[in-house]
């Protein structure tokens, strides 16, 4: 298959119909011919697969049209390289974006099948940890919706994010065998297979023209095979492609079966090379120093770049024009080795001279940074790189050398400065700083929220920002309203449609027209009715998952995100303890459900301990008759995209309480606010921009600012000194310490109390009094249902800035320099039904 620009006239397409009878026929046919089942004997999962196959045919058709148009129009393409894509379920999202959700439901109903019943059987595609992976999925969807020629590249992990079970209050991880029943959404492309080399050595050749060229020889080869996941834009527009690579052993292994007598050993070796794409590392915001991780990174980067170079060649563009025809975005430093790989391909395969190759590379790449936290910054030991990727190590040395020469020239004598800028960290046993490679190899570097970008320039990249001030830009994150509003919250969608029509779905800026309805009593009442229904839906799910009964008629206060010290789940937990004690003391307290959800990295003991303590506190609270129905504390297990779509629309209060300066942006904060939850949060990440958008009266801001946090740390105040800043704080921490809430984990509770009193690296105690005040303020507003609903509706109407479409347009205009190329709608309107 090549990227031909001229479609053969004999290959004209005749699109499948999208009306109910046509879909019904396709679903029944797929059940028999693809799934291989008699409809009379089909299980719900058989029907799920049948409908998925019927829809897949229609998506791939649109993909073919989209690809043809891109080839004809000579477009510049965008390649998004990400180790993670947190997609969730695909059936409903594809149906909605294809504009055939209702008609397919109808077709199924005609066949006697309930859509909801089969849809919930689909496994989430959880090829990501959290915000970073979900952002990648939103960006792909938006590129398709807006018609940008965007391609996603990543890894087809055999096992995605682990499944979290709670056993005896603790997190237990189970493997996520998401491909067990096959996957109707993927198209295997065995012909798209590229060799990827590891280890070996470099041989230098001195050419007659005086240049030296290098050959990377020997070592081990693994094959990367493509699997394509078509991604539909909203309302039957473009369909873009996400290409995920799976590792396959080379044919060499097959030969070895015969040559070496040891057949069993040969097959075992084959397995080993295929482990590269076996499992997603479940770490969020921490670097993983494992050789296998480095191999995963290089594996998918090398395959993707070979594919990009191949497409460029098939389109008959000269290699010198690569950066005019392509832009490559690095999602954090995980794919940063691409800078060296691109140089290798240009130098060794295409024989381009160094300076020209370097110009192309810099123009091609740009890099998004997602954190300032030192433990998340990837560095690889030079010795490991030299062994696994010897040619790349040589290229990195040369990149570094040329770069340091350049700055030496511009900033003579500043030796400390050069040392800090160097790609090689000489202080911690010689390591390659991947962020430095990414900055030096890119023409633009962006942070993901205004505060984050400004802190990047002041701290992590202060030196680079002196060298290249114009290289650093901000692109505030966003989320897709298709999934996070229209699909997740049909009740709210209908309410908005009934007031301002449905244009806002294509252009979220039009949501602003909804703002005046915040002061309309009938709209507020309708909004409360929608919230109540969403809470009933969540309460049913909570009951199913945990056995706990929760009331739908109280405040739902949610903190849903990865468990991390800096995100401060302990701050919320202390508040639960405060409410518990106050109710026990006979105080009148606003009834509420506090819901936590999130996974802890399996090797992050403190985070796992936090989950255990939350669950043990919850157990005491939920079973204490003194609570009546006034306080329930839920730990919702196995938080994933599909559960987020149920929790978010039911929330009243959104907890965004990270220590200021640590959350690069946050995106859950956006999803919750656009569904009418009020934020209680610190001045961190995108919270600041959310406050500016919704208005200070419609958000509860508290706590130390990022500057205050730094100053506070410098002062070195012992955490225990804050115990008297709030009338109850001491007794709350003592209750924890003394094991009041412990159920076998006494030691654990004492340890958490000690940690707060003696270490508290994220200033939970220092911020507690301010937090408790802000919670009380929220409670007061909630008691005025009209005032609360007004504020909630203003949140909805004023969140348009946080549409991922705005984010993607900023990347396209300021970084990629690409234009949208929308494909005209395919089937006639009559098909829409
Ligand atoms: F550490 N983020 C994430 F920067 O989800 F690499 N995983 C990660 O490994 C990293 C960042 C990394 C998140 C940020 O924590 C969050 O603030 C941000 O909204 C999100 O990335 C998307 O930019």
């Amino acid at each position: 298959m090549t990227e031909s620009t001229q479609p053969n006239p004999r290959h004209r397409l005749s699109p499948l119909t999208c009306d109910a009878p046509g879909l019904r026929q396709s679903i029944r046919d797929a059940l028999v011919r693809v799934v291989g089942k008699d409809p009379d004997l089909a299980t719900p999962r058989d029907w799920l697969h049948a409908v998925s196959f019927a829809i897949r045919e229609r998506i791939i058709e649109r993909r073919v049209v989209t690809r043809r148009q891109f080839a004809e129009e000579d477009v510049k393409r965008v390649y998004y390289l990400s180790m993670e894509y947190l997609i969730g379920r695909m059936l409903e999202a594809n149906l909605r974006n294809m504009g055939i959700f209702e008609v397919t439901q109808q077709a199924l109903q005609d066949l006697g099948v309930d859509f909801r019943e089969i849809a919930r059987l689909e496994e989430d595609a959880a090829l990501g940890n959290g915000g970073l992976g979900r952002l990648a999925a939103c960006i792909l969807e938006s590129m398709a919706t807006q018609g940008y020629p965007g391609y996603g590249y990543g890894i087809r992990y055999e096992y995605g994010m682990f499944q979290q079970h709670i056993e005896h209050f603790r997190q237990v991880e189970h493997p996520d065998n998401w491909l067990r029943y096959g996957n109707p959404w993927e198209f295997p492309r065995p012909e798209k297979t590229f060799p990827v080399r590891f280890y070996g050595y470099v041989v230098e050749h001195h050419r007659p023209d005086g240049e030296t060229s290098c050959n990377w020889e020997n070592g081990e080869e693994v094959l990367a095979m493509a699997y394509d996941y078509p991604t539909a834009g909203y309302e039957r527009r473009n369909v873009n492609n996400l290409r995920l690579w799976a590792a396959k052993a080379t044919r060499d292994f097959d030969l070895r079966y015969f040559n070496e007598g040891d057949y069993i050993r040969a097959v075992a070796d084959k397995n080993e090379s295929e482990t590269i794409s076996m499992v997603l590392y479940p770490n969020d915001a921490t670097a993983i120093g494992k050789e296998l991780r480095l191999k995963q990174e290089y594996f998918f980067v090398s395959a993707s770049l070979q594919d990009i170079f191949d497409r460029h060649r098939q389109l008959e563009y000269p290699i010198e024009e690569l950066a005019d025809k392509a832009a490559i975005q690095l999602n954090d430093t995980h794919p940063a080795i691409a800078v060296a790989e691109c140089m290798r391909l240009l130098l060794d395969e295409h024989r381009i001279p160094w300076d020209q190759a370097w110009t192309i590379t810099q123009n091609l790449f740009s890099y998004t940074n997602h954190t300032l936290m030192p433990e998340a910054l990837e560095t690889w030991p030079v010795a490991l790189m030299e062994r696994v990727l010897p040619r790349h190590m040589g290229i990195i040395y040369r990149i570094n050398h040329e770069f340091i020469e350049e700055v030496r020239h511009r900033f003579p004598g500043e030796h400390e400065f050069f040392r800090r800028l160097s790609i090689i960290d000489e202080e911690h046993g010689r390591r390659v700083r991947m962020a430095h490679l990414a900055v030096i190899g890119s023409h633009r570097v962006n942070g993901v929220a205004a505060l984050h970008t400004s802190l990047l320039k002041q701290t992590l990249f202060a030196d680079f920002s002196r060298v290249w001030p114009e290289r650093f830009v901000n692109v505030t994150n966003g989320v897709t309203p298709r999934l996070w509003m229209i699909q997740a919250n049909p009740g709210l969608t209908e309410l908005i449609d009934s007031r301002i029509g449905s244009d806002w779905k294509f252009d979220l800026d039009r949501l602003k027209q909804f703002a005046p309805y915040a002061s309309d009593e009938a709209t507020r009442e309708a909004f409360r009715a929608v919230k109540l229904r969403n809470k009933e839906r969540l309460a049913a799910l909570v009951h199913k998952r945990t056995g706990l009964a929760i009331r739908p008629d109280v405040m739902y206060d949610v903190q849903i995100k990865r468990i991390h010290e800096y995100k401060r789940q302990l701050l919320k937990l202390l508040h639960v303890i405060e409410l518990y004690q106050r109710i026990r003391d006979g105080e009148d307290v606003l009834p509420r459900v506090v819901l936590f959800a999130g996974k802890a990295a399996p090797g992050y003991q403190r985070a796992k301990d936090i989950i255990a303590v939350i669950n043990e506190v919850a157990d005491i609270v939920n079973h204490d008759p003194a609570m009546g129905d006034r306080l329930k504390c839920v730990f919702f297990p196995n938080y994933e995209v599909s559960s987020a779509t149920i929790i978010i629309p039911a929330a009243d209060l959104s907890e965004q309480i990270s220590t200021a300066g640590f959350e690069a942006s946050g995106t859950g904060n956006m999803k919750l606010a656009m569904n009418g939850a009020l934020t209680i949060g610190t001045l961190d990440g995108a919270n600041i921009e959310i406050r500016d958008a919704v208005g200070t009266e419609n958000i509860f801001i508290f706590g130390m600012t990022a500057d205050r946090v730094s100053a506070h740390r410098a002062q070195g105040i012992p955490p225990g000194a804050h115990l008297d800043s709030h009338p109850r704080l001491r007794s709350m921490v003592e209750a924890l310490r003394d094991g009041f809430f412990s159920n076998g984990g006494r030691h654990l509770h004492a340890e958490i109390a000690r940690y707060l009193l003696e270490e508290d690296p994220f200033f939970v105690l220092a911020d507690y009094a301010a937090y408790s005040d802000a919670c009380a303020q929220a409670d007061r507003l909630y008691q005025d249902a009209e005032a609360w609903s007004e504020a909630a509706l203003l949140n909805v109407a004023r969140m348009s800035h946080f549409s991922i479409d705005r984010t993607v347009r900023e990347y396209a205009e300021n970084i990629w320099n690409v234009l949208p190329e929308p494909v005209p709608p395919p089937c006639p309107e009559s098909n829409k039904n």
Side-chain angles (χ1 to χ4, degrees), residues 657-677:
I657 59 180
S658 51
T659 312
F662 286 90
E663 191 69 272
S665 162
T667 46
N669 48 2
M670 301 169 188
K671 296 161 196 170
L672 283 153
M674 50 174 76
N675 280 283

Side-chain angles (χ1 to χ4, degrees), residues 304-321:
S304 306
L305 286 194
Q306 291 183 64
D307 197 32
I308 292 166
F309 275 63
D310 234 37
R311 184 174 296 107
H312 189 76
R313 186 184 50 75
Q314 281 167 15
L315 290 163
E316 297 175 0
Y317 298 135
I319 190 68
E320 292 76 14
E321 290 175 18

Side-chain angles (χ1 to χ4, degrees), residues 84 129-136 283-287 293 331-334 368-373 375-377 448 452 477 562 566-567 662-670 685:
E84 304 191 9
N129 272 285
L132 173 141
R134 182 55 232 176
L135 184 76
N283 299 66
D284 185 81
T286 25
R293 168 72 173 199
N331 196 21
D332 215 89
T333 59
H334 316 149
T368 305
N369 172 285
H370 297 264
T371 189
L372 297 162
M373 299 214 301
E375 64 265 38
L377 301 178
V448 290
H452 171 59
N477 283 166
R562 287 297 289 253
Y566 84 82
K567 294 179 189 277
F662 286 90
E663 191 69 272
S665 162
T667 46
N669 48 2
M670 301 169 188

Side-chain angles (χ1 to χ4, degrees), residues 169 573 576-585 612-627 631 728 730-753:
F169 308 113
L573 188 66
V576 171
I577 294 174
E578 180 192 333
L579 294 175
Y580 174 80
Q581 291 191 346
R582 284 172 42 200
I583 295 172
R584 292 258 306 200
D585 288 353
V613 174
I614 291 173
N615 275 299
E616 294 194 16
V617 170
D619 193 54
I620 296 291
V621 167
N622 297 338
H623 293 103
D624 189 332
M627 294 301 107
L631 183 60
R728 279 186 188 273
R730 182 179 297 276
S731 84
M732 288 151 44
V733 176
E734 283 173 358
L736 252 188
R737 183 197 62 195
D738 300 342
F740 180 91
F741 299 98
S742 91
N743 193 327
R746 207 188 179 79
H747 160 78
L748 201 85
H749 292 237
E751 166 53 23
I752 291 285

